Amino acid sequence: VNPAWPDAPVKLFGAGADSGTFDYFTEAIVGKSKSSRGDFTASEDDNVLVQGVSQDVNALAFFGYAYYAENQARLRAVPIADKGGKPAVSPSEKTVLDGSYQPLSRPIFIYVNAKSLAKPEVREAFKWLVDYDTIGRTLMKNIGVVHQNFLPLGLLGASKEQPYKLDGAKAKALLAKAGVPNGFKVTVDMRTTQPIQGITEAMQQTFARAGIQMEIIPGDGKQTLTKYRARTHDIYIGTWGADYWDPHTNADTFARNPSNADDAKSKPLAWRNAWDIPELTKKADAAALERDGAKRAKLYQEIQAEFRKTSPFVMLFQQTEVAAYRSNVMGLKIGPPSDSTYLFSVSKKCFH
C-alpha cells in the first residue's frame, strides 16, 4: 500500500458468499473463486453496500453496475488499467457495450445437460425461446448487454454475432423435428439471487409457448452448484468469468472436453453438461497454440460459430460488475487479469 495512505482502518463491503457476484469478483480480482478475507460487511442487497461505502471516507466495495449508475454523485468507480500502458477504463454504458471494461464483465447463460436433452434440435429450440431483448431492457438494464458467445467482448477473437431472438414458431418446428411436437417437462436449478431469478421466471413463461413446462427448483449457491457439478441437473442458469487475459481461458472450459467419462480427470463446463466434442476439442487446442494473432482470432470465431449452433449452452448476456470507492481515494486501478491489480499506487486525500 502507498505509504501516503493514512493510518486509518479501511472498511470493506461486498456481495454475500452465496452470490454469483461474490464468486465472479473473487475469481476475477483475487484469482480464485470464493478466496476472500472474511472481515467485510456482506449483503445480498446492493443498496446496503451503496449506503455503507458512501458513508465512510475509507470504504471500498464491489457490487452491480446498475447501483453505481444510480449513485454516481456519491461514489467513484475503480478504473481498469491495461498492462500495455493504455489509459485506464472506467465503467459506463459505452464501455459496457463495447466490452472494454474488463475483467469485470461476465457472461450469463443457460447450461442444458445434454444427457437428458441430447437431441440437437431441442438444444437449438431453447435458443429461440428466450426473449433476449425484453430481458435486456428490464432485468439487465445498466448491468449487462445481450451477448450470445462464450468469449466476452474485449478478448481476442470475441464474436459479436447474435443470431437468436424470441421466435416460438422456429422453436416449435425444431421440437417437432426432434419428435416432441407437444413439448415436455423439464426442471431448472435456480440460484435465488437477481438477476438470475428474474431471468429464470421470464424464461419459464416463454418456454411454455412451445409446450415446455419448466419446473423451477430454487436453492442457494451451494445447493444448485452441487447438482450442476455432479451432472444431475436438467437445466442450470449461471455465470462464468475469464480466469486470465487470453481467449483460451473460456475456450478451455466451454469448447473442450478431453474425456466425457464420468471419472474423467478434467471436468470443464462442457463435461458438466455431457457434451462430447472430440473434434471441437482439437480445434480449441490448435487455437491455443496458434502464434499468429489474426489466424488465432479467426480460429476462435469459427469455434464460436460451431458452439452457437450445436452446444447445449444458451448464452444470454455479458454482465458487468463494478468496484466502488470513496471520492478521496486516489490511484486505485484494477488490471484486466487478477495478477495486475496493484495497491502500491493507492493514496487518499484527507479532508480538513
Side-chain angles (χ1 to χ4, degrees), residues 75 161 231 243 252 275 285 295 304 319 324 345 348:
L75 303 170
E161 294 294 319
R231 302 208 289 193
D243 292 329
D252 187 32
W275 191 31
D285 289 341
K295 290 180 180 178
Q304 288 168 98
Q319 186 177 4
S345 61
K348 190 188 77 169

Side-chain angles (χ1 to χ4, degrees), residues 175-176 179-184 210-213:
L175 292 176
V180 284
N182 299 318
F184 48 85
I212 298 176
Q213 301 175 49

Side-chain angles (χ1 to χ4, degrees), residues 20-342:
T21 297
F22 176 82
D23 290 349
Y24 178 67
F25 187 85
T26 52
E27 190 170 285
I29 303 306
V30 182
K32 182 179 180 182
S33 179
K34 293 187 181 297
S35 177
S36 171
R37 56 194 295 168
D39 57 338
F40 70 98
T41 299
S43 177
E44 305 299 339
D45 186 343
D46 287 354
N47 286 308
V48 172
L49 305 178
V50 169
Q51 286 294 108
V53 73
S54 65
Q55 292 178 0
D56 191 301
V57 296
N58 296 317
L60 295 170
F62 66 91
F63 44 78
Y65 174 77
Y67 291 85
Y68 162 72
E70 294 172 0
N71 296 276
Q72 293 186 56
R74 296 192 289 163
L75 303 170
R76 287 183 63 190
V78 179
I80 296 178
D82 186 275
K83 273 189 171 181
K86 296 179 182 178
V89 178
S90 295
S92 66
E93 184 174 351
K94 179 181 181 300
T95 58
V96 168
L97 289 171
D98 65 21
S100 58
Y101 191 67
Q102 288 283 353
L104 294 180
S105 294
R106 57 176 179 164
I108 296 180
F109 43 85
I110 306 171
Y111 304 88
V112 180
N113 189 332
K115 271 189 172 180
S116 57
L117 303 165
K119 294 182 178 180
E121 296 88 358
V122 173
R123 297 178 197 164
E124 188 174 2
F126 277 25
K127 298 167 188 179
W128 293 105
L129 286 172
V130 178
D131 193 349
Y132 305 91
D133 290 340
T134 299
I135 295 173
R137 292 195 306 268
T138 55
L139 295 167
M140 296 300 296
K141 183 179 181 180
N142 292 328
I143 63 170
V145 295
V146 176
H147 189 60
Q148 297 178 358
N149 302 281
F150 67 75
L151 286 183
L153 297 171
L155 277 179
L156 176 73
S159 174
K160 296 181 180 180
E161 294 294 319
Q162 296 181 11
Y164 298 106
K165 61 182 180 179
L166 180 61
D167 191 328
K170 281 190 177 181
K172 288 180 179 180
L174 286 162
L175 292 176
K177 188 177 179 181
V180 284
N182 299 318
F184 48 85
K185 293 183 179 180
V186 69
T187 62
V188 55
D189 295 287
M190 178 194 73
R191 183 180 289 183
T192 51
T193 58
Q194 295 295 358
I196 299 298
Q197 182 169 336
I199 292 172
T200 308
E201 292 167 349
M203 292 193 311
Q204 185 183 45
Q205 297 178 35
T206 52
F207 274 46
R209 299 182 188 182
I212 298 176
Q213 301 175 49
M214 181 186 287
E215 178 190 352
I216 297 175
I217 303 175
D220 59 24
K222 182 178 181 181
Q223 292 168 328
T224 56
L225 281 172
T226 297
K227 283 186 66 177
Y228 165 56
R229 288 169 176 164
R231 302 208 289 193
T232 58
H233 63 291
D234 282 347
I235 299 174
Y236 172 79
I237 301 183
T239 60
W240 190 264
D243 292 329
Y244 50 91
W245 197 244
D246 185 89
H248 190 64
T249 183
N250 276 14
D252 187 32
T253 195
F254 284 104
R256 290 187 75 254
N257 188 7
S259 171
N260 201 43
D262 288 338
D263 61 351
K265 292 182 179 180
S266 175
K267 297 180 178 180
L269 298 184
W271 177 91
R272 293 181 186 179
N273 295 281
W275 191 31
D276 196 9
I277 44 171
E279 294 306 314
L280 195 61
T281 297
K282 292 177 183 177
K283 291 181 181 179
D285 289 341
L289 296 174
E290 176 58 57
R291 303 185 69 174
D292 183 283
K295 290 180 180 178
R296 193 170 185 230
K298 186 174 184 294
L299 287 172
Y300 283 117
Q301 292 273 345
E302 293 171 356
I303 291 170
Q304 288 168 98
E306 183 174 342
F307 175 92
R308 285 193 304 271
K309 182 70 175 177
T310 65
S311 82
F313 298 89
V314 183
M315 308 304 291
L316 300 173
F317 302 95
Q318 182 165 320
Q319 186 177 4
T320 298
E321 305 288 354
V322 174
Y325 62 106
R326 286 280 299 187
S327 59
N328 63 329
V329 176
M330 312 299 292
L332 179 59
K333 297 178 181 179
I334 294 176
S338 58
D339 63 355
S340 62
T341 299
Y342 306 115

Side-chain angles (χ1 to χ4, degrees), residues 1-7 329-332 342-348:
V1 176
N2 191 315
W5 187 275
D7 185 14
V329 176
M330 312 299 292
L332 179 59
Y342 306 115
L343 295 179
F344 67 84
S345 61
V346 175
S347 60
K348 190 188 77 169

